[in-house]
Amino acid sequence: MLEKDSSNINNDSFFVEGYFSLAHKSIEFNTEISKSKRKKIFCGFDKGRNCFHTVLIAQLGKFIDCNFRSNIRIDDIMSHAFDIITKASELIIFSTLLVECRDNNKLITMYEKYGFRKFQYTQDSEHPVQMISYLH
């Protein structure tokens, strides 16, 4: 999240406390994904597709510096991300959001707090868990 007053960009008062990025991603279904999960992603229609398109919330984080105490919380960062996603959904049709993370109970619990559920595992050793949230 950037400071809203862009006049501070060129001086020392500009500081990034938290950040995230959004990206379009195509996800292939693993073989164990049920027809009911596929139908939910396709809003009730299972068209026999092997993949779907989603919005990936990536690089979610908070800047940590021993010399600077930030008041920003992960709730603030996620709220800002969801605000932008809501605006984007008015222009671009998509039905799911995706996060990819390590298989870590603390991370998974945090994402579940924001409506994400485990979807499938991948071969990615860094981020083997894919979690999705439905917009509908």
Side-chain angles (χ1 to χ4, degrees), residues 43-56:
C43 302
F45 302 99
D46 179 12
K47 297 184 179 182
R49 297 180 191 157
N50 276 343
C51 68
F52 67 99
H53 302 282
T54 187
V55 173
L56 171 68

Side-chain angles (χ1 to χ4, degrees), residues 85-103:
I85 290 165
T86 299
K87 289 176 186 172
S89 72
E90 295 169 5
L91 301 171
I92 303 167
I93 298 171
F94 56 92
S95 62
T96 59
L97 301 176
L98 174 77
V99 292
E100 297 175 318
C101 63
R102 290 172 296 198
D103 197 1

Side-chain angles (χ1 to χ4, degrees), residues 36-45 52 89 93-97 132-136:
S36 61
K37 278 188 179 181
R38 290 173 190 241
K39 280 184 179 182
K40 188 167 185 176
I41 287 170
F42 293 120
C43 302
F45 302 99
F52 67 99
S89 72
I93 298 171
F94 56 92
S95 62
T96 59
L97 301 176
I132 62 172
S133 177
Y134 299 96
L135 294 178
H136 49 80

